[in-house]
Amino acid sequence: MYMRPALIISGLGSIIAFAFIAISDLETLTELAMFLSTLKLAILGTGILFVLSMQKQEKKYFYINLGTSPKQLILWGTVLDLAIYFTVLPLIILVRYAIQ
C-alpha cells in the first residue's frame, strides 16, 4: 500500500518494455533489453522520488505507528518490482529465441 503509486508507474513501464521485447528483431534483442532495463530503473527511481515528494507526513507516521519502517517498505516494493521484471524479461527473451 505504501509504494502503490510508484509500483503502478513502474509496472506500466515493465509492460511497455515487455511489449517492445516481444516485437523486436532478434538482432537487436540484447541491446534493446539492456536499454529498456536501464530505462526501467530510471522510471522506478523517478516514481519513488515522485511518490515521496508528494506524500503527506500523516501517511508516513501511520506506517511507523503500525511498526513498519517506511524505508523498509520502499526497499521491499523496489525488490519486488525488480524481481518480477528480471524474472519475466529472460523468459520473454528465451521464448523469442525458441520461436526463431
Side-chain angles (χ1 to χ4, degrees):
M1 296 293 289
Y2 187 75
M3 291 292 296
R4 182 185 295 171
L7 292 178
I8 289 172
I9 293 168
S10 183
L12 290 174
S14 295
I15 292 170
I16 292 169
F18 296 151
F20 273 116
I21 291 291
I23 63 172
S24 69
D25 295 334
L26 288 178
E27 294 82 29
T28 62
L29 191 62
T30 55
E31 292 87 12
L32 184 64
M34 290 181 358
F35 172 73
L36 290 174
S37 295
T38 305
L39 187 62
K40 163 73 175 163
L41 292 173
I43 289 172
L44 180 61
T46 305
I48 290 171
L49 289 177
F50 177 71
V51 167
L52 291 179
S53 68
M54 300 296 288
Q55 191 175 60
K56 296 179 183 178
Q57 288 292 73
E58 293 88 25
K59 186 175 183 181
K60 179 180 176 181
Y61 291 123
F62 172 76
Y63 284 100
I64 290 173
N65 287 335
L66 288 177
T68 307
S69 169
K71 289 181 183 179
Q72 191 176 25
L73 292 174
I74 292 170
L75 179 67
W76 287 348
T78 304
V79 167
L80 173 71
D81 185 52
L82 292 177
I84 291 170
Y85 179 77
F86 287 114
T87 302
V88 174
L89 184 69
L91 291 175
I92 292 175
I93 291 173
L94 287 173
V95 168
R96 287 284 297 155
Y97 276 117
I99 290 174
Q100 298 295 336

